[in-house]
Amino acid sequence: MRDVTAGTGIHFVHTDGSSGRRYIVESVASGIATFDYNGDGLIDILFLNGAPLPGSTAAPGSTPGNALYRNDGNFKFTDVTKSAGLTDTSYHLGVCVGDYDNDGFPDIYLSNFGPNILYHNNGNGTFTDVTKTAGVAIGDKVGAGACFLDIDGDGYLDLFVANYCDFSIAKHQTRSVNGHPAYVGPAIYGPTPSSLFRNNRDGTFTDISRESGIGALKGTGMGVICADYDDDGDTDIIVGNDAMANFVWRNDGKGHFEEVGVGSGLAYDSNGVGLGTMGVECGDFDNDGKLDFYMTSYQKQWTILYKALGRGVFADVTRSTGAATGTFNQVTWGIGMVDFDNDGHRDIFIATGHLQDNVESWDDTTRYEEPNILLRNTGKGRFIDVSAHAGDGLSIKRSSRGAAFDDFDNDGRIDVVILNARKEPTVLRNESLTQNHWIEVRPRGTRSNRDGIGARIKVVAGDRSWVDEVHSGRGYQSHYGLFPHFGLGDRRKVDRIEVRFVGGSTNILTDVDVDRAVQVVEGAP
């Protein structure tokens, strides 16, 4: 992984609006999104930013805001924020992307400290704030992860939004550790319910949080992913909660949800402890055809790898696999289960960095700024830490938050972009020396939602097979990977691609060439 940030043309610098007063929202800002906003076949980047909080002093003439960078090819990017109309200066925390009106252009939802925002993509490189007319405004809450998903298979994307805690500036509290000022955790303010909006198919949404069951429980949501965890054909919701049990909202296929986290095994670690879960990711790490889950967490807690046993049950296999190597003394945030060398086995990238900016004052085992971690999947049920040998991009020390994983130069290798708190981002170009093959699958719904979000994909090459899903919103309050990527190892031909769209229809392609992107149109021969 080579650090190419300086040559990209990206000049964004993150702010958390801090002034020394230590408002809790500063510690959790912000996520990041990668997606092709203008349909030119290149993955663009949206950086989320905070905003000045009471007591902070912005530099003269500067107004912090989000930044949309258009990908011009060959790792060159142009700031198009103003021309795109994404100039809102709210305090942004989480993001997801999806084509909610099926017009062929990806729209953006921003989960904020303060009112959330839905941007409609006009199809000409610009966006319009349609939050009020769409009916998806959420009041003054601390936003977190968000996801578009189709809860009932009607072909239109609904919207799930997690909330972090019941904080407001008026409720602000601080604490001290060994005489040093420190940020408090969410328990001080208390949990708060998440929100679910049903798409009315006319550009508007209805809040169904209560009748769907989602509003029945309060949580401290951070990272979120919507995935078919029990492989029953509908999309469920997995919420990483901070300092309490995680939620698993099981979908009955009609848009009604039951919380089953404890029974699934995803609520706690193997010791029955609810961790400070930050990011949530899923992928089939052992190629057994079932989606496994990986969650990042707080210092002096391991990140956790949950192996799918089948029928919606999972086991904590962190220790036996080595999937948490190097994480115990870190605060871990963004996460990707990605096959970086295309050998057919998903590796793990972990973004790290403490949230207490003065932690060195009372703890000499960790730092506010730390290098990120790359764990290589050996293909034999084990992970090994290869960070020290993975290029200069893994030696950079920052306090990272959101991370996104996509192929920015279309060379068949997945690259990385990381949002760093209070600093410039990090862009890592994947320069893995490998002759392994790959394929990228791009589902396009016709009866189901156009983005194919929620579609289950199976790729078969000889005696090997791989599965994945299309997700909107994942990791740490971020969005990436709308086009699932499969490393194929030495396989020179794909025998079969199966795409099961949400709603039940399945497309099958046979005898597919490798080392390219393949669009699969629902219902097409």
Side-chain angles (χ1 to χ4, degrees):
M1 293 290 177
R2 182 163 67 90
D3 176 19
V4 296
T5 312
T8 60
I10 294 174
H11 304 293
F12 171 81
V13 178
H14 177 262
T15 178
D16 59 12
S18 55
S19 64
R21 296 185 182 181
R22 301 181 188 278
Y23 299 104
I24 189 173
V25 293
E26 302 167 14
S27 64
V28 296
S30 300
I32 186 174
T34 52
F35 64 109
D36 182 3
Y37 87 97
N38 58 358
D40 66 353
L42 297 171
I43 299 296
D44 312 296
I45 307 173
L46 176 63
F47 296 99
L48 270 57
N49 216 346
L53 296 170
S56 64
T57 303
S62 69
T63 304
N66 296 339
L68 176 64
Y69 279 88
R70 184 188 66 218
N71 188 340
D72 297 325
N74 197 31
F75 276 87
K76 302 295 182 183
F77 294 81
T78 298
D79 187 342
V80 295
T81 312
K82 290 184 179 180
S83 62
L86 300 178
T87 55
D88 178 82
T89 55
S90 300
Y91 202 105
H92 305 98
L93 293 168
V95 59
C96 66
V97 175
D99 183 3
Y100 75 88
D101 56 354
N102 290 329
D103 66 353
F105 305 103
D107 310 298
I108 303 169
Y109 189 80
L110 297 173
S111 183
N112 304 327
F113 172 44
N116 295 350
I117 301 173
L118 175 62
Y119 282 110
H120 177 260
N121 188 330
N122 301 318
N124 60 0
T126 69
F127 293 82
T128 299
D129 182 347
V130 296
T131 313
K132 290 183 179 180
T133 56
V136 291
I138 296 178
D140 292 333
K141 293 185 179 181
V142 181
C147 298
F148 284 109
L149 73 158
D150 184 352
I151 62 174
D152 52 7
D154 69 350
Y156 284 81
L157 291 174
D158 310 294
L159 177 64
F160 174 84
V161 186
N163 296 299
Y164 185 39
C165 62
D166 189 20
F167 167 80
S168 68
I169 295 297
K171 297 178 180 179
H172 173 55
Q173 298 186 46
T174 59
R175 67 186 178 106
S176 63
V177 178
N178 295 340
H180 301 282
Y183 291 99
V184 301
I188 294 294
Y189 305 109
T192 186
S194 298
S195 299
L196 182 64
F197 296 91
R198 184 186 63 227
N199 192 325
N200 297 324
R201 311 185 199 180
D202 60 0
T204 69
F205 292 78
T206 298
D207 187 340
I208 59 167
S209 306
R210 179 172 296 182
E211 53 264 46
S212 67
I214 292 294
L217 295 177
K218 295 181 178 181
T220 51
M222 296 192 84
V224 178
I225 196 166
C226 294
D228 187 0
Y229 84 101
D230 53 359
D231 196 17
D232 66 352
D234 52 50
T235 304
D236 312 292
I237 303 170
I238 296 86
V239 182
N241 283 319
D242 189 2
M244 62 178 286
N246 301 316
F247 290 158
V248 177
W249 291 104
R250 183 173 62 194
N251 188 351
D252 69 355
K254 300 177 182 179
H256 300 97
F257 293 83
E258 177 187 6
E259 204 290 301
V260 296
V262 173
S264 72
L266 294 174
Y268 304 107
D269 70 0
S270 60
N271 296 315
V273 176
L275 305 180
T277 304
M278 306 293 192
V280 182
E281 167 72 316
C282 70
D284 184 6
F285 86 92
D286 53 358
N287 294 335
D288 65 352
K290 298 184 285 290
L291 292 179
D292 312 296
F293 287 82
Y294 193 92
M295 301 187 188
T296 51
S297 56
Y298 198 67
Q299 184 196 7
K300 296 184 180 178
Q301 299 173 348
W302 300 109
T303 55
I304 303 296
L305 176 61
Y306 295 97
K307 174 180 168 56
L309 304 179
R311 298 184 178 181
V313 177
F314 296 80
D316 178 349
V317 296
T318 309
R319 294 185 180 181
S320 62
T321 60
T325 303
T327 66
F328 185 74
N329 279 325
Q330 312 298 332
V331 180
T332 51
W333 304 85
I335 172 66
M337 296 179 71
V338 177
D339 186 355
F340 288 107
D341 56 1
N342 288 331
D343 67 349
H345 305 288
R346 292 183 178 271
D347 313 300
I348 298 175
F349 187 102
I350 306 161
T352 72
H354 218 283
L355 61 83
Q356 304 288 358
D357 56 7
N358 57 346
V359 66
E360 295 96 326
S361 299
W362 67 81
D363 187 345
D364 61 3
T365 67
T366 190
R367 297 289 185 270
Y368 177 64
E369 294 187 333
E370 291 279 14
N372 296 320
I373 298 170
L374 178 59
L375 304 179
R376 182 177 180 272
N377 188 337
T378 66
K380 300 178 180 179
R382 296 282 302 178
F383 292 86
I384 56 175
D385 188 346
V386 296
S387 308
H389 313 289
D392 64 353
L394 273 297
S395 63
I396 299 169
K397 294 183 179 181
R398 294 289 187 270
S399 188
S400 300
R401 294 296 185 268
F405 308 85
D406 262 305
D407 184 358
F408 295 120
D409 56 353
N410 291 336
D411 69 347
R413 293 173 290 187
I414 298 296
D415 310 296
V416 185
V417 59
I418 305 149
L419 185 140
N420 300 313
R422 306 179 183 176
K423 289 286 182 69
E424 72 287 345
T426 304
V427 182
L428 303 181
R429 185 171 191 165
N430 186 344
E431 296 185 344
S432 300
L433 299 176
T434 176
Q435 300 299 314
N436 292 324
H437 299 287
W438 57 277
I439 197 161
E440 180 181 280
V441 181
R442 301 186 174 192
R444 182 164 71 83
T446 54
R447 294 185 296 273
S448 61
N449 71 87
R450 186 179 176 92
D451 285 336
I453 290 171
R456 176 71 67 102
I457 301 169
K458 182 177 182 180
V459 174
V460 180
D463 60 350
R464 300 183 68 181
S465 63
W466 301 265
V467 299
D468 201 0
E469 277 187 359
V470 184
H471 305 289
S472 165
R474 63 200 299 185
Y476 179 68
Q477 302 182 175
S478 296
H479 170 94
Y480 52 89
L482 270 180
F483 307 138
H485 178 98
F486 299 85
L488 303 174
D490 60 359
R491 303 308 160 99
R492 299 175 181 272
K493 179 73 69 174
V494 168
D495 298 312
R496 183 180 179 92
I497 298 176
E498 299 178 11
V499 179
R500 185 184 73 194
F501 291 88
V502 173
S505 66
T506 299
N507 270 56
I508 298 175
L509 279 69
T510 59
D511 194 25
V512 182
D513 291 334
V514 300
D515 299 337
R516 66 189 185 105
V518 179
Q519 186 179 69
V520 181
V521 179
E522 182 181 18

PDB file of all heavy atoms in Angstrom, residues 5 62 68 76 119 121 172 183 205 207 217 247 274 287 317 376 406 428 441 453 485 488:
ATOM      1  N   THR A   5      -1.192  10.296  -1.332  1.00  0.00           N
ATOM      2  CA  THR A   5      -2.062  11.425  -1.000  1.00  0.00           C
ATOM      3  C   THR A   5      -1.571  12.728  -1.612  1.00  0.00           C
ATOM      4  O   THR A   5      -2.361  13.494  -2.192  1.00  0.00           O
ATOM      5  CB  THR A   5      -2.168  11.585   0.526  1.00  0.00           C
ATOM      6  OG1 THR A   5      -2.441  10.314   1.128  1.00  0.00           O
ATOM      7  CG2 THR A   5      -3.267  12.567   0.889  1.00  0.00           C
ATOM      8  N   SER A  62     -12.652  31.070   6.597  1.00  0.00           N
ATOM      9  CA  SER A  62     -12.843  29.647   6.310  1.00  0.00           C
ATOM     10  C   SER A  62     -14.172  29.168   6.864  1.00  0.00           C
ATOM     11  O   SER A  62     -14.608  29.609   7.929  1.00  0.00           O
ATOM     12  CB  SER A  62     -11.706  28.816   6.925  1.00  0.00           C
ATOM     13  OG  SER A  62     -11.795  28.822   8.336  1.00  0.00           O
ATOM     14  N   LEU A  68     -16.510  16.935  -1.979  1.00  0.00           N
ATOM     15  CA  LEU A  68     -16.682  15.904  -3.006  1.00  0.00           C
ATOM     16  C   LEU A  68     -15.564  16.049  -4.026  1.00  0.00           C
ATOM     17  O   LEU A  68     -15.400  17.116  -4.632  1.00  0.00           O
ATOM     18  CB  LEU A  68     -18.037  16.048  -3.701  1.00  0.00           C
ATOM     19  CG  LEU A  68     -18.299  15.084  -4.860  1.00  0.00           C
ATOM     20  CD1 LEU A  68     -18.335  13.639  -4.378  1.00  0.00           C
ATOM     21  CD2 LEU A  68     -19.601  15.445  -5.583  1.00  0.00           C
ATOM     22  N   LYS A  76      -5.829  11.106  -9.796  1.00  0.00           N
ATOM     23  CA  LYS A  76      -5.942  12.557  -9.787  1.00  0.00           C
ATOM     24  C   LYS A  76      -7.403  12.919  -9.525  1.00  0.00           C
ATOM     25  O   LYS A  76      -8.313  12.370 -10.166  1.00  0.00           O
ATOM     26  CB  LYS A  76      -5.493  13.162 -11.116  1.00  0.00           C
ATOM     27  CG  LYS A  76      -4.057  12.812 -11.504  1.00  0.00           C
ATOM     28  CD  LYS A  76      -3.041  13.418 -10.530  1.00  0.00           C
ATOM     29  CE  LYS A  76      -1.615  13.098 -10.966  1.00  0.00           C
ATOM     30  NZ  LYS A  76      -0.615  13.624 -10.000  1.00  0.00           N
ATOM     31  N   TYR A 119     -29.744  14.299  -0.141  1.00  0.00           N
ATOM     32  CA  TYR A 119     -29.429  14.975  -1.393  1.00  0.00           C
ATOM     33  C   TYR A 119     -29.868  14.112  -2.571  1.00  0.00           C
ATOM     34  O   TYR A 119     -29.446  12.959  -2.692  1.00  0.00           O
ATOM     35  CB  TYR A 119     -27.923  15.221  -1.517  1.00  0.00           C
ATOM     36  CG  TYR A 119     -27.402  16.391  -0.721  1.00  0.00           C
ATOM     37  CD1 TYR A 119     -26.590  16.186   0.387  1.00  0.00           C
ATOM     38  CD2 TYR A 119     -27.686  17.698  -1.101  1.00  0.00           C
ATOM     39  CE1 TYR A 119     -26.077  17.253   1.108  1.00  0.00           C
ATOM     40  CE2 TYR A 119     -27.181  18.776  -0.387  1.00  0.00           C
ATOM     41  CZ  TYR A 119     -26.381  18.548   0.721  1.00  0.00           C
ATOM     42  OH  TYR A 119     -25.875  19.615   1.427  1.00  0.00           O
ATOM     43  N   ASN A 121     -29.619  13.281  -6.458  1.00  0.00           N
ATOM     44  CA  ASN A 121     -28.695  13.432  -7.574  1.00  0.00           C
ATOM     45  C   ASN A 121     -29.506  13.789  -8.822  1.00  0.00           C
ATOM     46  O   ASN A 121     -30.372  13.022  -9.258  1.00  0.00           O
ATOM     47  CB  ASN A 121     -27.921  12.130  -7.786  1.00  0.00           C
ATOM     48  CG  ASN A 121     -26.799  12.254  -8.789  1.00  0.00           C
ATOM     49  OD1 ASN A 121     -26.859  13.047  -9.717  1.00  0.00           O
ATOM     50  ND2 ASN A 121     -25.768  11.437  -8.619  1.00  0.00           N
ATOM     51  N   HIS A 172     -24.071  18.941  27.970  1.00  0.00           N
ATOM     52  CA  HIS A 172     -22.638  18.632  27.913  1.00  0.00           C
ATOM     53  C   HIS A 172     -22.035  18.390  29.292  1.00  0.00           C
ATOM     54  O   HIS A 172     -22.279  19.150  30.237  1.00  0.00           O
ATOM     55  CB  HIS A 172     -21.905  19.774  27.223  1.00  0.00           C
ATOM     56  CG  HIS A 172     -20.417  19.658  27.254  1.00  0.00           C
ATOM     57  ND1 HIS A 172     -19.746  18.550  26.781  1.00  0.00           N
ATOM     58  CD2 HIS A 172     -19.461  20.517  27.715  1.00  0.00           C
ATOM     59  CE1 HIS A 172     -18.436  18.732  26.940  1.00  0.00           C
ATOM     60  NE2 HIS A 172     -18.252  19.911  27.504  1.00  0.00           N
ATOM     61  N   TYR A 183     -12.906  13.097  27.298  1.00  0.00           N
ATOM     62  CA  TYR A 183     -14.249  12.946  26.764  1.00  0.00           C
ATOM     63  C   TYR A 183     -15.026  11.902  27.568  1.00  0.00           C
ATOM     64  O   TYR A 183     -14.460  10.890  28.012  1.00  0.00           O
ATOM     65  CB  TYR A 183     -14.197  12.491  25.302  1.00  0.00           C
ATOM     66  CG  TYR A 183     -13.682  13.517  24.337  1.00  0.00           C
ATOM     67  CD1 TYR A 183     -12.361  13.488  23.900  1.00  0.00           C
ATOM     68  CD2 TYR A 183     -14.514  14.523  23.851  1.00  0.00           C
ATOM     69  CE1 TYR A 183     -11.876  14.433  22.999  1.00  0.00           C
ATOM     70  CE2 TYR A 183     -14.051  15.472  22.955  1.00  0.00           C
ATOM     71  CZ  TYR A 183     -12.729  15.422  22.545  1.00  0.00           C
ATOM     72  OH  TYR A 183     -12.260  16.363  21.656  1.00  0.00           O
ATOM     73  N   PHE A 205     -40.948   9.599   1.869  1.00  0.00           N
ATOM     74  CA  PHE A 205     -40.802   8.496   2.819  1.00  0.00           C
ATOM     75  C   PHE A 205     -41.767   8.694   3.983  1.00  0.00           C
ATOM     76  O   PHE A 205     -42.172   9.818   4.290  1.00  0.00           O
ATOM     77  CB  PHE A 205     -39.372   8.443   3.365  1.00  0.00           C
ATOM     78  CG  PHE A 205     -38.316   8.065   2.357  1.00  0.00           C
ATOM     79  CD1 PHE A 205     -37.850   8.991   1.432  1.00  0.00           C
ATOM     80  CD2 PHE A 205     -37.772   6.786   2.347  1.00  0.00           C
ATOM     81  CE1 PHE A 205     -36.867   8.664   0.517  1.00  0.00           C
ATOM     82  CE2 PHE A 205     -36.793   6.443   1.431  1.00  0.00           C
ATOM     83  CZ  PHE A 205     -36.332   7.380   0.511  1.00  0.00           C
ATOM     84  N   ASP A 207     -42.097   7.674   8.145  1.00  0.00           N
ATOM     85  CA  ASP A 207     -41.410   7.158   9.326  1.00  0.00           C
ATOM     86  C   ASP A 207     -42.217   5.998   9.903  1.00  0.00           C
ATOM     87  O   ASP A 207     -43.341   6.185  10.391  1.00  0.00           O
ATOM     88  CB  ASP A 207     -41.263   8.273  10.360  1.00  0.00           C
ATOM     89  CG  ASP A 207     -40.399   7.867  11.556  1.00  0.00           C
ATOM     90  OD1 ASP A 207     -40.239   6.651  11.785  1.00  0.00           O
ATOM     91  OD2 ASP A 207     -39.896   8.763  12.249  1.00  0.00           O
ATOM     92  N   LEU A 217     -36.531  -0.277  20.884  1.00  0.00           N
ATOM     93  CA  LEU A 217     -35.360  -0.338  21.759  1.00  0.00           C
ATOM     94  C   LEU A 217     -34.473   0.875  21.549  1.00  0.00           C
ATOM     95  O   LEU A 217     -34.359   1.389  20.436  1.00  0.00           O
ATOM     96  CB  LEU A 217     -34.550  -1.611  21.476  1.00  0.00           C
ATOM     97  CG  LEU A 217     -35.217  -2.947  21.780  1.00  0.00           C
ATOM     98  CD1 LEU A 217     -34.300  -4.094  21.373  1.00  0.00           C
ATOM     99  CD2 LEU A 217     -35.574  -3.056  23.256  1.00  0.00           C
ATOM    100  N   PHE A 247     -27.212  -4.798  18.300  1.00  0.00           N
ATOM    101  CA  PHE A 247     -28.549  -5.196  17.867  1.00  0.00           C
ATOM    102  C   PHE A 247     -28.468  -5.946  16.544  1.00  0.00           C
ATOM    103  O   PHE A 247     -27.712  -5.582  15.647  1.00  0.00           O
ATOM    104  CB  PHE A 247     -29.444  -3.974  17.662  1.00  0.00           C
ATOM    105  CG  PHE A 247     -29.831  -3.261  18.929  1.00  0.00           C
ATOM    106  CD1 PHE A 247     -30.238  -1.929  18.883  1.00  0.00           C
ATOM    107  CD2 PHE A 247     -29.810  -3.895  20.155  1.00  0.00           C
ATOM    108  CE1 PHE A 247     -30.612  -1.254  20.033  1.00  0.00           C
ATOM    109  CE2 PHE A 247     -30.170  -3.233  21.316  1.00  0.00           C
ATOM    110  CZ  PHE A 247     -30.574  -1.906  21.258  1.00  0.00           C
ATOM    111  N   GLY A 274     -20.559  -6.785  26.351  1.00  0.00           N
ATOM    112  CA  GLY A 274     -20.926  -5.831  25.318  1.00  0.00           C
ATOM    113  C   GLY A 274     -19.795  -4.834  25.133  1.00  0.00           C
ATOM    114  O   GLY A 274     -19.425  -4.120  26.069  1.00  0.00           O
ATOM    115  N   ASN A 287     -14.637 -18.648   2.984  1.00  0.00           N
ATOM    116  CA  ASN A 287     -15.183 -19.180   1.730  1.00  0.00           C
ATOM    117  C   ASN A 287     -16.033 -20.435   1.914  1.00  0.00           C
ATOM    118  O   ASN A 287     -15.954 -21.379   1.130  1.00  0.00           O
ATOM    119  CB  ASN A 287     -14.044 -19.459   0.735  1.00  0.00           C
ATOM    120  CG  ASN A 287     -13.344 -18.193   0.287  1.00  0.00           C
ATOM    121  OD1 ASN A 287     -13.923 -17.115   0.318  1.00  0.00           O
ATOM    122  ND2 ASN A 287     -12.095 -18.334  -0.136  1.00  0.00           N
ATOM    123  N   VAL A 317     -14.665 -16.221  16.874  1.00  0.00           N
ATOM    124  CA  VAL A 317     -13.479 -17.022  16.556  1.00  0.00           C
ATOM    125  C   VAL A 317     -12.228 -16.144  16.514  1.00  0.00           C
ATOM    126  O   VAL A 317     -11.242 -16.493  15.877  1.00  0.00           O
ATOM    127  CB  VAL A 317     -13.656 -17.771  15.217  1.00  0.00           C
ATOM    128  CG1 VAL A 317     -14.790 -18.778  15.309  1.00  0.00           C
ATOM    129  CG2 VAL A 317     -13.901 -16.788  14.069  1.00  0.00           C
ATOM    130  N   ARG A 376      -3.320 -10.178   6.926  1.00  0.00           N
ATOM    131  CA  ARG A 376      -3.437 -11.004   5.717  1.00  0.00           C
ATOM    132  C   ARG A 376      -4.080 -12.334   6.052  1.00  0.00           C
ATOM    133  O   ARG A 376      -3.713 -13.007   7.029  1.00  0.00           O
ATOM    134  CB  ARG A 376      -2.069 -11.243   5.094  1.00  0.00           C
ATOM    135  CG  ARG A 376      -2.119 -12.058   3.802  1.00  0.00           C
ATOM    136  CD  ARG A 376      -0.752 -12.216   3.162  1.00  0.00           C
ATOM    137  NE  ARG A 376      -0.827 -12.999   1.942  1.00  0.00           N
ATOM    138  CZ  ARG A 376      -0.731 -14.323   1.904  1.00  0.00           C
ATOM    139  NH1 ARG A 376      -0.535 -15.017   3.021  1.00  0.00           N
ATOM    140  NH2 ARG A 376      -0.825 -14.971   0.760  1.00  0.00           N
ATOM    141  N   ASP A 406     -12.218   0.819  -2.438  1.00  0.00           N
ATOM    142  CA  ASP A 406     -12.720   0.732  -3.808  1.00  0.00           C
ATOM    143  C   ASP A 406     -11.527   0.766  -4.750  1.00  0.00           C
ATOM    144  O   ASP A 406     -10.409   1.119  -4.353  1.00  0.00           O
ATOM    145  CB  ASP A 406     -13.679   1.887  -4.116  1.00  0.00           C
ATOM    146  CG  ASP A 406     -15.145   1.491  -3.978  1.00  0.00           C
ATOM    147  OD1 ASP A 406     -15.545   0.502  -4.637  1.00  0.00           O
ATOM    148  OD2 ASP A 406     -15.885   2.150  -3.219  1.00  0.00           O
ATOM    149  N   LEU A 428      -4.329   5.471  -0.215  1.00  0.00           N
ATOM    150  CA  LEU A 428      -3.379   4.384  -0.400  1.00  0.00           C
ATOM    151  C   LEU A 428      -3.654   3.660  -1.716  1.00  0.00           C
ATOM    152  O   LEU A 428      -4.772   3.191  -1.956  1.00  0.00           O
ATOM    153  CB  LEU A 428      -3.464   3.382   0.753  1.00  0.00           C
ATOM    154  CG  LEU A 428      -3.249   3.940   2.157  1.00  0.00           C
ATOM    155  CD1 LEU A 428      -3.338   2.821   3.187  1.00  0.00           C
ATOM    156  CD2 LEU A 428      -1.907   4.644   2.268  1.00  0.00           C
ATOM    157  N   VAL A 441     -18.474  -7.539 -10.011  1.00  0.00           N
ATOM    158  CA  VAL A 441     -19.855  -7.779 -10.427  1.00  0.00           C
ATOM    159  C   VAL A 441     -20.691  -6.546 -10.099  1.00  0.00           C
ATOM    160  O   VAL A 441     -20.698  -6.072  -8.960  1.00  0.00           O
ATOM    161  CB  VAL A 441     -20.435  -9.027  -9.747  1.00  0.00           C
ATOM    162  CG1 VAL A 441     -21.872  -9.273 -10.215  1.00  0.00           C
ATOM    163  CG2 VAL A 441     -19.565 -10.245 -10.036  1.00  0.00           C
ATOM    164  N   ILE A 453     -28.952  -3.183  -4.437  1.00  0.00           N
ATOM    165  CA  ILE A 453     -28.585  -3.230  -3.021  1.00  0.00           C
ATOM    166  C   ILE A 453     -29.336  -4.367  -2.335  1.00  0.00           C
ATOM    167  O   ILE A 453     -30.553  -4.510  -2.477  1.00  0.00           O
ATOM    168  CB  ILE A 453     -28.867  -1.878  -2.351  1.00  0.00           C
ATOM    169  CG1 ILE A 453     -27.866  -0.830  -2.873  1.00  0.00           C
ATOM    170  CG2 ILE A 453     -28.804  -1.980  -0.830  1.00  0.00           C
ATOM    171  CD1 ILE A 453     -28.168   0.580  -2.458  1.00  0.00           C
ATOM    172  N   HIS A 485     -16.232  -7.007  -5.385  1.00  0.00           N
ATOM    173  CA  HIS A 485     -14.984  -7.407  -6.036  1.00  0.00           C
ATOM    174  C   HIS A 485     -14.563  -8.767  -5.496  1.00  0.00           C
ATOM    175  O   HIS A 485     -14.572  -8.990  -4.283  1.00  0.00           O
ATOM    176  CB  HIS A 485     -13.919  -6.349  -5.742  1.00  0.00           C
ATOM    177  CG  HIS A 485     -12.570  -6.664  -6.305  1.00  0.00           C
ATOM    178  ND1 HIS A 485     -12.119  -6.132  -7.492  1.00  0.00           N
ATOM    179  CD2 HIS A 485     -11.558  -7.441  -5.838  1.00  0.00           C
ATOM    180  CE1 HIS A 485     -10.896  -6.559  -7.725  1.00  0.00           C
ATOM    181  NE2 HIS A 485     -10.536  -7.368  -6.743  1.00  0.00           N
ATOM    182  N   LEU A 488      -9.723 -14.063  -7.452  1.00  0.00           N
ATOM    183  CA  LEU A 488      -9.939 -15.421  -7.968  1.00  0.00           C
ATOM    184  C   LEU A 488      -8.712 -16.313  -7.881  1.00  0.00           C
ATOM    185  O   LEU A 488      -8.751 -17.460  -8.322  1.00  0.00           O
ATOM    186  CB  LEU A 488     -10.382 -15.345  -9.435  1.00  0.00           C
ATOM    187  CG  LEU A 488     -11.648 -14.522  -9.729  1.00  0.00           C
ATOM    188  CD1 LEU A 488     -11.861 -14.426 -11.233  1.00  0.00           C
ATOM    189  CD2 LEU A 488     -12.860 -15.137  -9.042  1.00  0.00           C
TER     190      LEU A 488
END
